[in-house]
């Protein structure tokens, strides 16, 4: 297929001296020696010091050590892909398998397998497609990701938080809250951005043009093209894809971030923000974004222009989930007539104004109702399916669930919600224990005595903000 043939490096700009082209290739060639971490630091330094450099030769850096590290970083507990190969199968002859994979990548003989598609239910009743790649494909994607990540991390802006090393959802939540709490900024109007089916509608032509600005290595680009065209296997039927990123693959978040870096982030900072009145703040985590404004008319104008901007690149705003929010601290009842609500959800938290223990106005980030409801439903479903397990095994699992819930939702101002979650977990557990024969008359006093011997972890705040 034409998409699997090696891409030629694009010609240099007309008029560039030949010795300058040779110097560029030679400098990239010096990245060969050294271990993997050293190579990645060199790549990052080149990308940082020469922001307009186009990397034409990178694949020579990938060796067996690189592939071993890619395999180490690959999750091995997931479901097998279309080939049915598990981590145990692959590790039976790991070094030979990695050497063979490396040779196929560099020679162009690698064939990207289709992604097995599985659907999981969403909170609104619809189903979300989930892609399950093969283990070997995940290793290959991780190897290419290790090459590209140091380059693009120097490009991505500080407003982007999703799927980036050293950045997390809690960093995005903290910076968004700090923006609202900054009295001088006066951010009181919010555009809650929701891009409809973002990962499935990324335009391949635009994505390739964005890649061209930094990376034209033939091996790397050929691998990305193969993943874009691999297709999905659904109910035994293979469907080729003409848009979107590889579902379930580790390379997909980087490509998705790169796309919105050009379509949204840079455009907002370089073109939109200078033309708007007052302070503005963009916080984006993957395809979820919130834009806050000081001025109402700037927020309204931005919402109109944003739809046109995304449409130019094949993206569409969700008609009901994208909305303008009146987030003023003091507002008339019901808020502004042209706004849709006075609170908004971002990364599983509802943002609302409240009072601190010192009586000051603060932005509270509390567990969103749909996430809270979904978490409790998952606990109830697990307890129902595992009634037969011994008490201690059930306690150990629910303890891990509570710790995981607090690890994400345990932030300042959300203590009431996580305490209530803890109480509801106990209530649900007791309800299902009572349906076992010898526990049919399990009173609260007896249940408390059992918990005293095998306690569940207490709810706690893990991520603390400085009190105002």
């Amino acid at each position: 297929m034409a998409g699997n043939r090696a891409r030629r490096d694009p010609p240099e700009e007309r008029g560039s001296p030949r010795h300058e082209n040779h110097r560029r290739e030679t400098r990239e060639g010096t990245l060969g020696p050294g271990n993997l971490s050293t190579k990645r630091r060199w790549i990052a330094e080149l990308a940082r010091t020469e922001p307009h450099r186009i990397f034409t030769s990178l694949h020579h850096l990938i060796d067996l050590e690189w592939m071993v590290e890619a395999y180490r970083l690959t999750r091995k507990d997931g479901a097998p892909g279309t080939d049915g190969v598990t981590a145990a199968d692959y590790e039976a002859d790991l070094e030979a398998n990695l050497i063979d994979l490396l040779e196929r990548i560099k020679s162009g003989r690698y064939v990207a397998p289709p992604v097995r598609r599985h659907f999981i239910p969403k909170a609104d009743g619809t189903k979300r497609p989930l892609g399950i790649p093969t283990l070997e494909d995940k290793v290959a994607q991780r190897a290419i990701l290790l090459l590209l990540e140091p380059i693009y991390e120097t490009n991505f802006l500080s407003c982007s938080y999703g799927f980036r090393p050293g950045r997390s959802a809690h960093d995005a939540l903290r910076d968004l809250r700090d923006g609202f709490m900054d009295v001088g900024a006066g951010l009181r109007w919010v555009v809650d951005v929701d891009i409809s089916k973002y990962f499935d509608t990324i335009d391949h032509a635009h994505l390739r043009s964005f890649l061209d600005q930094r990376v034209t290595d033939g091996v790397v680009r050929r691998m990305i093209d193969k993943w874009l065209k691999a297709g999905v296997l659904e109910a035994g039927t293979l469907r080729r894809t003409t848009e979107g990123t590889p579902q379930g693959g580790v390379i997909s978040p980087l490509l998705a971030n790169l796309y919105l870096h050009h379509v949204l982030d840079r455009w907002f900072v370089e073109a939109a923000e200078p033309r708007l009145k007052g302070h503005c703040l963009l916080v984006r985590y993957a395809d979820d974004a919130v834009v806050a404004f000081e001025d109402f008319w700037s927020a309204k104008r931005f919402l109109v222009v944003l739809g046109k901007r995304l449409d130019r690149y094949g993206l569409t705003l969700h008609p009901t989930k994208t909305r303008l929010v009146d987030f003023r601290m003091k507002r008339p009842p019901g808020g502004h007539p042209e706004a849709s609500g006075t609170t908004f959800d971002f990364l599983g938290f509802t943002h609302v104004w409240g009072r601190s223990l010192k009586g000051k106005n603060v932005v509270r980030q509390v567990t969103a109702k749909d996430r809270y409801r979904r978490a409790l439903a998952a606990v109830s479903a697990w307890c129902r399916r595992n009634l037969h397990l011994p008490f201690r095994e059930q306690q150990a699992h629910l303890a891990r669930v509570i710790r995981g819930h607090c690890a994400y939702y345990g932030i300042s101002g959300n203590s009431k919600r996580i305490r209530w979650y803890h109480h509801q977990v106990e209530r649900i557990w007791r309800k299902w224990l009572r349906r076992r024969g010898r526990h049919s008359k399990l009173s609260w006093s007896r249940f408390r005595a059992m918990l005293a011997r095998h306690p569940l972890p207490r709810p706690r705040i893990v991520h603390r903000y400085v009190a105002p």
Side-chain angles (χ1 to χ4, degrees):
M1 295 177 60
N4 289 336
R5 290 200 295 267
R7 296 172 61 98
R8 292 182 178 271
D9 291 349
E12 299 291 341
E13 293 181 5
R14 186 172 300 173
S16 299
R18 295 186 63 182
H19 67 83
E20 182 67 20
N21 299 340
H22 175 72
R23 185 187 66 83
R24 176 184 301 176
E25 296 297 330
T26 302
R27 286 195 62 184
E28 291 182 13
T30 61
L31 296 181
N35 58 27
L36 183 144
S37 60
T38 302
K39 294 174 183 177
R40 281 170 51 85
R41 285 197 298 270
W42 280 343
I43 296 173
E45 182 64 17
L46 277 176
R48 184 186 64 81
T49 57
E50 301 182 38
H52 300 294
R53 165 185 283 271
I54 297 177
F55 289 83
T56 61
S57 180
L58 287 170
H59 67 274
H60 65 279
L61 300 175
I62 306 178
D63 53 17
L64 180 58
E65 179 196 6
W66 194 286
M67 298 303 295
V68 170
E69 179 66 8
Y71 183 79
R72 186 187 70 82
L73 295 173
T74 300
R75 283 190 57 181
K76 304 168 186 65
D77 56 351
T82 54
D83 60 358
V85 175
T86 64
D89 300 330
Y90 204 77
E91 288 177 357
D93 197 0
L94 180 59
E95 183 172 337
N97 287 330
L98 292 178
I99 291 174
D100 178 64
L101 175 59
L102 176 59
E103 291 177 350
R104 283 182 284 136
I105 289 175
K106 290 192 173 184
S107 66
R109 292 185 294 109
Y110 181 80
V111 178
V115 175
R116 183 163 65 88
R117 174 170 281 183
H118 178 70
F119 289 92
I120 56 176
K122 295 175 63 176
D124 57 4
T126 60
K127 292 185 177 181
R128 182 193 303 276
L130 177 67
I132 305 175
T134 64
L135 177 68
E136 186 175 68
D137 200 47
K138 288 190 284 188
V139 176
Q141 291 189 32
R142 177 67 66 178
I144 299 300
L145 177 67
L146 289 173
L147 269 182
L148 297 181
E149 197 173 61
I151 299 173
Y152 288 111
E153 276 301 309
T154 63
N155 285 53
F156 292 156
L157 304 181
S158 60
C159 60
S160 170
Y161 296 84
F163 306 107
R164 295 182 58 189
R167 315 202 96 197
S168 68
H170 294 104
D171 294 329
L173 290 165
R174 182 194 63 247
D175 291 349
L176 180 61
R177 180 183 182 274
D178 290 346
F180 287 122
M181 296 297 297
D182 184 355
V183 178
L187 302 175
R188 296 297 180 263
W189 303 94
V190 172
V191 174
D192 187 2
V193 180
D194 189 287
I195 303 175
S196 183
K197 298 180 179 179
Y198 170 63
F199 287 90
D200 296 330
T201 56
I202 293 177
D203 184 85
H204 289 177
H206 287 303
L207 178 60
R208 291 187 183 99
S209 69
F210 297 149
L211 286 165
D212 286 341
Q213 297 181 27
R214 286 299 256 167
V215 176
T216 59
D217 180 286
V219 171
V220 174
R221 295 297 301 272
R222 181 173 60 229
M223 290 294 291
I224 294 176
D225 277 345
K226 289 182 177 183
W227 287 318
L228 293 177
K229 298 176 181 179
V232 296
L233 188 65
E234 182 180 340
T237 302
L238 178 61
R239 184 174 65 83
R240 297 296 179 182
T241 53
T242 57
E243 58 184 6
T245 56
Q247 295 185 0
V250 295
I251 198 72
S252 181
L254 176 70
L255 298 178
N257 268 335
L258 173 63
Y259 202 80
L260 281 184
H261 167 73
H262 289 277
V263 174
L264 179 60
D265 300 352
R266 283 187 57 189
W267 169 75
F268 176 80
V269 172
E270 298 174 5
E273 187 175 8
R275 292 174 171 83
L276 298 174
K277 180 181 177 181
H279 294 92
C280 309
L281 173 68
L282 167 64
V283 175
R284 181 178 65 81
Y285 190 93
D287 61 330
D288 292 330
V290 169
V291 192
F293 300 87
E294 181 181 4
D295 179 65
F296 167 75
W297 293 108
S298 293
K300 189 175 179 181
R301 179 186 174 193
F302 173 81
L303 182 57
V304 173
V305 176
L306 177 63
K308 299 177 181 178
R309 171 71 179 181
L310 295 182
D311 182 68
R312 178 181 172 186
Y313 292 92
L315 304 176
T316 306
L317 289 174
H318 195 286
T320 57
K321 295 182 180 179
T322 300
R323 58 200 184 102
L324 175 62
V325 178
D326 183 353
F327 202 62
R328 289 177 293 177
M329 190 185 337
K330 297 178 181 179
R331 57 181 178 267
H336 196 281
E338 296 188 48
S340 301
T342 56
T343 64
F344 65 95
D345 291 350
F346 183 58
L347 299 179
F349 290 88
T350 298
H351 292 65
V352 60
W353 281 100
R355 292 271 186 177
S356 69
L357 295 177
K358 297 180 180 179
K360 296 183 179 180
N361 292 313
V362 295
V363 172
R364 292 196 179 279
Q365 296 165 318
V366 299
T367 309
K369 291 182 179 179
D370 61 333
R371 298 292 185 93
Y372 181 77
R373 188 164 49 245
R374 191 189 316 168
L376 293 179
V379 170
S380 182
W382 186 91
C383 290
R384 182 179 68 252
R385 291 193 308 268
N386 294 276
L387 277 176
H388 60 285
L389 292 181
F391 181 85
R392 291 186 180 182
E393 290 187 24
Q394 294 190 37
Q395 183 271 345
H397 174 81
L398 293 177
R400 290 193 296 270
V401 169
I402 290 175
R403 291 192 191 99
H405 187 86
C406 291
Y408 186 76
Y409 292 102
I411 67 175
S412 296
N414 198 32
S415 58
K416 183 177 180 180
R417 285 285 173 93
I418 61 174
R419 285 199 306 268
W420 187 244
Y421 171 82
H422 183 276
H423 170 72
Q424 290 298 317
V425 169
E426 291 183 342
R427 185 189 65 81
I428 292 170
W429 190 20
R430 173 178 173 268
K431 181 189 79 170
W432 287 106
L433 284 176
R434 294 183 67 183
R435 301 198 178 186
R436 302 207 306 187
R438 62 194 182 93
H439 291 304
S440 59
K441 295 183 180 180
L442 183 61
S443 64
W444 272 106
S445 59
R446 185 184 171 195
F447 182 61
R448 294 293 185 198
M450 295 168 69
L451 287 178
R453 294 192 298 272
H454 307 285
L456 293 174
R458 302 303 303 172
R460 68 187 187 94
I461 299 298
V462 178
H463 309 277
R464 295 188 178 276
Y465 301 131
V466 178

